[in-house]
Amino acid sequence: MGTRPLLNRRLAGMGTTVFAEMSALATATGSINLGQGFPDTDGPEEVREAAVRALREGRGNQYPPGPGVPELRTAIAEHQQRFHGLAYDPDSEVLVTAGATEAIAATLLALLEPGDEVIAFEPFYDSYAACIAMAGATRVPLTLRAPSFRPDLDELRSLITPRTRLLLINTPHNPTGTVLTAEELAAIAELAVEHDLLVATDEVYEHLVFGAAHHPIAALPGMRGRTVSISSAGKTFSFTGWKVGWVTASPDLVAAVRTAKQYLTYVSAGPFQYAVAEALRLPDTYFDTLRADLLRKRDLLVDGLTAAGFRAFTSEGTYFVTTDITPLGEKDGIEFCRALPGRCGVVAIPNAVFYDDVEAGRSLVRFTFCKKDEVLQEAVARLRRL
C-alpha cells in the first residue's frame, strides 16, 4: 500500500495509450486504421503450422522454462551470429520475453535505480516513458527534429551528467523511420565507454530497412558487455499477437533482467516459442521478400500522402511514415487525428504524444503501411478528400 501512491505519481498523466484511443476510434467509426502498427495479414504459413504442431504435440502447453525454451534460445543465438556476427551463449546470454515491450520493462526495472537518468531519443515509443517512471528514474530526451530526424551528437554529449546511467536507443526508429548510421553508432558507443554507461537498444525493426543498413551497437568495441539488445518476432514475421521477444546480453546483464522479468509475466507463449524458433531459421529469401514488399507499400503510401497534400518524410526503416500536416493548413496533430476519422474515415497517430517537447512534434502525424495494397489504396483515396 505504501508504494502505490508513489507509483501513481510516477505514472500521473499517462492515462490510456494513444494506440488504444485511436484503435477504439477506428472501430467506432468504421475507419481504416493506419495508426496502430499491426499487419492485416498473417505471416508465413509454415510458421503458423509450426505453432499448431507444437500445440498438438503438447510442446509449450504447460509452463515453459523461465529463460525460454532451449530450441528458441538456440535459434536466437544463431540469428545473432548469422545476421550480425554476434556470438551469444544460448544458456546464459539469451532471455525470452513476452514481446519486446516486456523486455524493455524488465531491462529498465532491473538496471535503473531511483534518481538515475536515462537519455532516450524522442519521439519515443510510449512504453519507454512509463517504464522509466516505474523504475523511479528520470528520462532525458534528445530530440530528433524534422526534416532529417538525425541525432545531434554534440547535444547528446552535453546531456550526460554524473547521474546518467543508461542510453536507450531505438534503431530502426519508431516513429520517424530513422536508421542510425555506423558513424552515429560509433560516436554513441565512444560516449558510452567514456562515461561507463549502459545501453539498451530496441531493434525490433532490424529486418525492416530500406536502402539503409542496420548495425547493432553491441558489435562495436567496448559495447558487448554493456549493451542489452532487444528484439522480437512480431514485426519480422507478422504475428504480433504472439508476443515473443528476447534479450541478448552478457551473463550478468541477462541475469539482472531475468530477475525482474520473472515477476512480470514469469513465462508466456509456450507453443509459439517453438514456432518462432523455426521462423528465425527461414532462408534469406524470406527476409529479402519481406523488405521488398514493405518498400513497395511504403512508396504506395508516401505517393498517396504527397498527392493528398501531406509532407511525407523519408522512412529508412520500420513500417511507419511520419508526415507534416502544415501544408494542409493544419497545426495540431492531436486535434487533426481525432477529427480525421469523421472527415475521411482514416485513423492515424499524432507524433506529439511521443515527445516531451510537444512543440517539436505538434504538426507531425504517423501512418503505417503494413496493410494490404487495397487497404492502402482506399485509405489514400479517402485522404485525398481532405
Side-chain angles (χ1 to χ4, degrees):
M1 290 295 291
T3 61
R4 187 169 297 170
L6 174 59
L7 181 59
N8 288 342
R9 288 197 298 274
R10 290 175 183 171
L11 299 178
M14 291 186 177
T16 303
T17 72
V18 68
F19 305 108
E21 178 186 353
M22 292 301 167
S23 291
L25 193 56
T27 300
T29 61
S31 296
I32 296 174
N33 189 353
L34 298 189
Q36 192 167 5
F38 59 87
D40 54 2
T41 55
D42 284 345
E45 181 64 19
E46 62 265 41
V47 177
R48 182 165 56 180
E49 286 305 306
V52 173
R53 190 170 64 252
L55 281 164
R56 287 175 174 161
E57 294 174 357
R59 291 182 294 138
N61 291 338
Q62 308 305 327
Y63 292 135
V69 302
E71 291 86 345
L72 178 54
R73 286 186 278 116
T74 298
I76 292 166
E78 291 173 355
H79 170 275
Q80 294 296 75
Q81 181 69 60
R82 170 186 173 189
F83 288 102
H84 307 312
L86 287 165
Y88 287 99
D89 181 341
D91 292 326
S92 63
E93 298 186 309
V94 179
L95 173 66
V96 177
T97 61
T101 301
E102 187 195 40
I104 293 162
T107 297
L108 297 179
L109 289 171
L111 302 181
L112 298 176
E113 297 289 344
D116 285 344
E117 293 179 349
V118 178
I119 299 176
F121 295 170
E122 72 166 355
F124 34 64
Y125 180 50
D126 60 350
S127 80
Y128 295 177
C131 293
I132 292 169
M134 284 190 286
T138 300
R139 64 182 182 272
V140 178
L142 176 70
T143 306
L144 307 182
R145 300 185 185 279
S148 67
F149 297 110
R150 309 309 311 182
D152 184 329
L153 298 174
D154 290 331
E155 183 182 357
L156 174 59
R157 175 179 287 276
S158 73
L159 293 175
I160 297 173
T161 75
R163 294 173 61 189
T164 305
R165 169 70 170 163
L166 184 142
L167 304 178
L168 179 53
I169 298 171
N170 175 208
T171 182
H173 184 263
N174 171 18
T176 67
T178 294
V179 177
L180 295 180
T181 66
E183 294 75 19
E184 288 168 337
L185 287 165
I188 294 168
E190 288 178 7
L191 287 173
V193 172
E194 177 185 346
H195 295 276
D196 193 23
L197 303 177
L198 295 171
V199 173
T201 174
D202 177 352
E203 303 177 15
V204 297
Y205 297 100
E206 60 187 304
H207 290 291
L208 280 58
V209 291
F210 320 115
H214 172 64
H215 302 282
I217 197 170
L220 297 179
M223 297 306 294
R224 174 68 166 73
R226 67 178 68 248
T227 301
V228 176
S229 300
I230 294 166
S231 195
S232 75
K235 305 301 190 294
T236 299
F237 302 108
S238 298
F239 289 112
T240 57
W242 290 7
K243 297 299 291 179
V244 178
W246 53 84
V247 162
T248 53
S250 61
D252 57 332
L253 291 175
V254 164
V257 176
R258 185 172 63 245
T259 299
K261 181 260 188 298
Q262 68 185 343
Y263 295 111
L264 298 175
T265 60
Y266 179 51
V267 293
S268 62
F272 298 138
Q273 292 190 34
Y274 293 96
V276 171
E278 295 191 28
L280 288 170
R281 297 188 175 106
L282 288 173
D284 289 354
T285 51
Y286 168 76
F287 300 93
D288 294 340
T289 301
L290 172 70
R291 279 191 296 271
D293 185 54
L294 284 170
L295 174 59
R296 181 181 52 76
K297 292 176 183 289
R298 181 202 70 175
D299 292 346
L300 189 163
L301 180 59
V302 167
D303 290 347
L305 289 167
T306 301
F310 294 83
R311 182 186 182 189
F313 299 104
T314 300
S315 176
E316 299 174 326
T318 75
Y319 38 48
F320 301 111
V321 170
T322 287
T323 65
D324 189 344
I325 59 175
T326 53
L328 297 169
E330 304 281 351
K331 295 180 179 179
D332 190 295
I334 295 175
E335 293 180 0
F336 178 84
C337 287
R338 284 177 171 154
L340 192 61
R343 294 176 64 184
C344 69
V346 175
V347 165
I349 295 289
N351 283 32
V353 300
F354 304 130
Y355 286 82
D356 283 347
D357 180 3
V358 175
E359 290 306 315
R362 177 75 68 186
S363 65
L364 304 180
V365 169
R366 189 194 81 175
F367 294 86
T368 186
F369 51 86
C370 58
K371 306 294 181 181
K372 297 175 185 175
D373 286 6
E374 56 267 31
V375 172
L376 294 173
Q377 290 163 351
E378 175 60 23
V380 164
R382 295 184 184 187
L383 289 165
R384 284 177 178 166
R385 301 171 192 162
L386 290 173

